[in-house]
């Protein structure tokens, strides 16, 4: 149960910083600089997607063992359809708000394009997940991944996880080569709108699937006790965390330099081709496992390490990801994510309609937004606070 609580805390942590990163103010605000993505090429979306795949693998592989493949597949597809409904619902809600709020069409234009209810082609593109408004682009990829999840879980249960890993890696390579453009260029011409936007996505599915399905594979193997994590993440075995630390230290000055435009142009031209976020480029593929594995080692083995500094660091991380507020958000991550989109659009609208806020005001708005982020979770667990039978918390 403790592992699930930590996972919920991690998801809540990523949701908080996702909100902080997505808030847009005229002139920017300082909280964007207090972020882990300023020190490594690791972002909230990566952790959020990986943990989702991990929980899908853990939860549904156990259900398959109890109910069989057919019922498990239907449960996953039902979940995919639920996610799809939420993804479409938040788009429709924002479009309705755009109709009734003064000047909203102009303010949200860069995020929505020329998207209105009287443009059936654009609505069809949104419905088929080919056009994704800004900050509404994580859930659509989940829908696609969940559709393919059942047979992949079955393959992993049958010992074919290595084949899954190789195919996932090859698809990632295809993304780096841009092979998806063989289809997307043609589709883009078909659905091109009056704003000269056709296919609009922030995540290349071929590239980012490696994040989700690596988590899924690990989840299946973990749930079925095919990996002895206690033997891998032990305080005596420090080779793996040392390698992870070396990778992080190598990229640390590069991340700081790139974040503050300190790289010379001749180096930036080459480096930029390797860190394309939309494709989950090689820089991200190297950094994310290094940070993730290092973090897991600290959480699992750090508290028992002989070095007092390591123990204190591990204790601090455990305390952070065990915060009840973060675990609350993580338990209801789908609804909190949808609500975060509404908060981001609302704050941006208000910011554009008023004189520029001071940094203090921006900070207060950001902190208030973080507090408001918990409203859907509090509502869904309201029986715990206002009486009635205790709520049943279902992880995953």
């Amino acid at each position: 149960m403790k592992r699930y609580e930590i996972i919920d805390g991690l998801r809540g942590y990523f949701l908080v910083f996702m909100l902080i990163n997505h808030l847009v103010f005229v002139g920017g605000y300082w909280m964007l600089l207090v972020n882990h993505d300023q020190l490594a090429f690791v972002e909230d979306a990566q952790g959020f997607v990986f943990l989702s795949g991990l929980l899908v693998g853990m939860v549904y592989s156990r259900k398959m063992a109890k109910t069989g493949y057919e019922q498990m597949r239907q449960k996953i597809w039902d979940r995919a359809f639920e996610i799809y409904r939420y993804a479409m619902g938040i788009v429709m809600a924002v479009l309705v708000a755009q109709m009734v709020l003064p000047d909203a069409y102009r303010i949200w234009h860069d995020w929505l394009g020329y998207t209105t209810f009287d443009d059936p082609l654009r609505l069809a593109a949104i419905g088929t997940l080919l056009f994704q408004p800004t900050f509404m682009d994580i859930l659509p990829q989940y829908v696609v991944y969940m559709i393919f999840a059942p047979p992949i879980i079955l393959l992993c249960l049958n010992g074919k996880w290595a084949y899954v890993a190789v195919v996932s890696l090859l698809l990632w390579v295809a993304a780096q080569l841009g092979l998806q453009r063989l289809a997307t260029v043609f589709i883009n011409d078909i659905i091109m709108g009056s704003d000269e936007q056709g296919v609009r996505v922030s995540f290349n599915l071929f590239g980012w699937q490696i994040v989700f399905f690596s988590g899924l594979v690990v989840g299946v193997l973990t749930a079925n006790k095919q990996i002895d994590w206690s033997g891998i993440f032990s305080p005596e075995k420090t080779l793996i965390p040392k390698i992870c630390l070396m990778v992080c230290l190598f990229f640390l000055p590069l991340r700081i330099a790139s974040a503050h435009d300190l790289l010379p142009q001749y180096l930036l031209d080459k480096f930029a081709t390797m860190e394309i976020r939309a494709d989950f480029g090689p820089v991200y593929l190297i950094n994310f496992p290094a940070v993730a594995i290092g973090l897991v080692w600290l959480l699992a083995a750090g508290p028992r390490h002989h070095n007092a500094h390591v123990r204190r660091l591990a204790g601090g991380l455990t305390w952070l990801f065990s915060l009840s507020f973060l675990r609350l958000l993580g338990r209801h991550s789908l609804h909190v994510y949808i609500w975060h989109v509404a908060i981001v659009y609302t704050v941006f609208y208000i910011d554009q309609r008023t004189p520029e806020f001071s940094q203090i005001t921006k900070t207060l708005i950001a902190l208030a937004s973080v507090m408001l982020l918990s409203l859907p979770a509090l509502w869904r667990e309201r029986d715990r606070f206002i009486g009635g039978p205790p709520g049943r918390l279902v992880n995953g």
Side-chain angles (χ1 to χ4, degrees):
M1 187 59 187
K2 185 64 176 177
R3 282 199 304 269
Y4 279 110
E5 290 177 350
I6 290 293
I7 291 174
D8 286 337
L10 280 165
R11 288 200 294 182
Y13 172 87
F14 293 135
L15 284 165
V16 167
F17 277 94
M18 196 178 295
L19 173 65
I20 291 173
N21 290 336
H22 289 171
L23 291 175
V24 178
F25 295 98
V26 172
Y29 75 121
W30 70 273
M31 290 183 71
L32 292 176
L33 302 177
V34 185
N35 200 314
H36 51 265
D37 70 359
Q38 298 292 308
L39 301 175
F41 293 93
V42 176
E43 301 175 354
D44 311 295
Q46 300 163 23
F48 200 65
V49 172
F50 177 83
L51 289 178
S52 297
L54 178 73
L55 285 170
V56 167
M58 293 178 68
V59 173
Y60 289 103
S61 63
R62 288 171 177 166
K63 290 184 177 180
M64 177 184 287
K66 294 180 180 179
T67 64
Y69 176 76
E70 297 296 331
Q71 290 191 37
M72 184 275 296
R73 180 184 62 186
Q74 191 58 50
K75 287 182 179 295
I76 294 180
W77 286 356
D78 289 344
R79 179 63 170 173
F81 184 55
E82 179 187 13
I83 294 173
Y84 177 83
R85 294 198 305 270
Y86 277 106
M88 294 300 103
I90 188 60
V91 175
M92 296 301 108
V94 171
L95 291 182
V96 170
Q98 179 182 247
M99 293 174 58
V100 300
L101 293 176
D103 209 26
Y105 187 87
R106 178 192 63 81
I107 292 173
W108 290 337
H109 173 264
D110 289 343
W111 292 3
L112 297 174
Y114 294 132
T115 304
T116 60
F117 284 114
D118 57 2
D119 186 349
L121 182 62
R122 176 56 53 80
L123 295 178
I126 291 174
T128 53
L129 310 180
L130 296 172
F131 185 96
Q132 299 166 14
T134 301
F135 305 133
M136 304 184 196
D137 38 26
I138 287 185
L139 296 186
Q141 65 172 318
Y142 281 171
V143 174
V144 177
Y145 299 156
M146 296 286 277
I147 291 174
F148 291 97
I152 293 175
I153 292 175
L154 182 61
L155 286 171
C156 293
L157 288 174
N158 291 334
K160 299 294 197 298
W161 64 269
Y163 295 98
V164 172
V166 170
V167 172
S168 180
L169 181 61
L170 290 175
L171 287 174
W172 177 84
V173 172
Q176 310 315 304
L177 298 175
L179 297 184
Q180 76 284 347
R181 291 177 60 82
L182 294 172
T184 58
V185 169
F186 174 72
I187 298 173
N188 184 75
D189 294 337
I190 294 176
I191 66 173
M192 181 73 72
S194 58
D195 53 4
E196 297 185 352
Q197 296 188 59
V199 175
R200 173 175 166 165
V201 297
S202 297
F203 300 97
N204 184 335
L205 292 178
F206 281 7
W208 278 75
Q209 54 76 32
I210 199 170
V211 183
F212 183 89
F213 287 114
S214 62
L216 184 145
V217 170
V218 171
V220 174
L221 297 180
T222 299
N224 292 274
K225 295 180 171 52
Q226 297 182 42
I227 300 179
D228 180 16
W229 291 116
S230 61
I232 297 174
F233 296 113
S234 67
E236 295 79 21
K237 296 182 178 180
T238 58
L239 177 60
I240 291 178
K242 285 178 179 177
I243 293 174
C244 294
L245 179 60
M246 291 170 63
V247 172
C248 294
L249 290 177
F250 173 80
F251 280 99
L252 175 61
L254 289 171
R255 181 65 191 111
I256 294 175
S258 63
H260 298 280
D261 296 324
L262 300 178
L263 289 177
Q265 191 61 44
Y266 62 85
L267 181 58
L268 183 61
D269 292 341
K270 177 62 177 178
F271 187 72
T273 64
M274 306 293 287
E275 63 131 356
I276 300 175
R277 178 181 182 272
D279 296 335
F280 198 70
V283 169
Y284 292 100
L285 185 66
I286 296 171
N287 272 256
F288 179 70
V291 173
I293 294 172
L295 177 63
V296 172
W297 185 89
L298 278 172
L299 292 173
R304 294 174 288 125
H305 195 265
H306 63 84
N307 189 294
H309 297 295
V310 174
R311 292 198 302 272
R312 280 195 290 269
L313 178 59
L317 290 173
T318 301
W319 170 83
L320 173 63
F321 299 131
S322 298
L323 289 174
S324 57
F325 178 76
L326 297 182
R327 289 188 285 114
L328 173 67
L329 300 181
R331 287 195 296 269
H332 307 279
S333 56
L334 173 60
H335 304 84
V336 172
Y337 174 82
I338 293 296
W339 180 235
H340 120 278
V341 175
I343 292 175
V344 168
Y345 272 74
T346 301
V347 169
F348 184 60
Y349 177 81
I350 294 172
D351 182 70
Q352 292 290 309
R353 295 273 295 176
T354 56
E356 182 175 348
F357 294 125
S358 67
Q359 285 294 331
I360 294 178
T361 303
K362 293 174 185 177
T363 302
L364 293 175
I365 292 174
L367 293 176
S369 298
V370 171
M371 294 298 102
L372 290 173
L373 198 60
S374 63
L375 289 182
L378 290 172
W379 173 253
R380 288 173 59 80
E381 294 191 16
R382 58 192 180 278
D383 287 343
R384 299 178 61 198
F385 305 102
I386 61 176
R392 185 171 65 92
L393 305 182
V394 181
N395 291 286

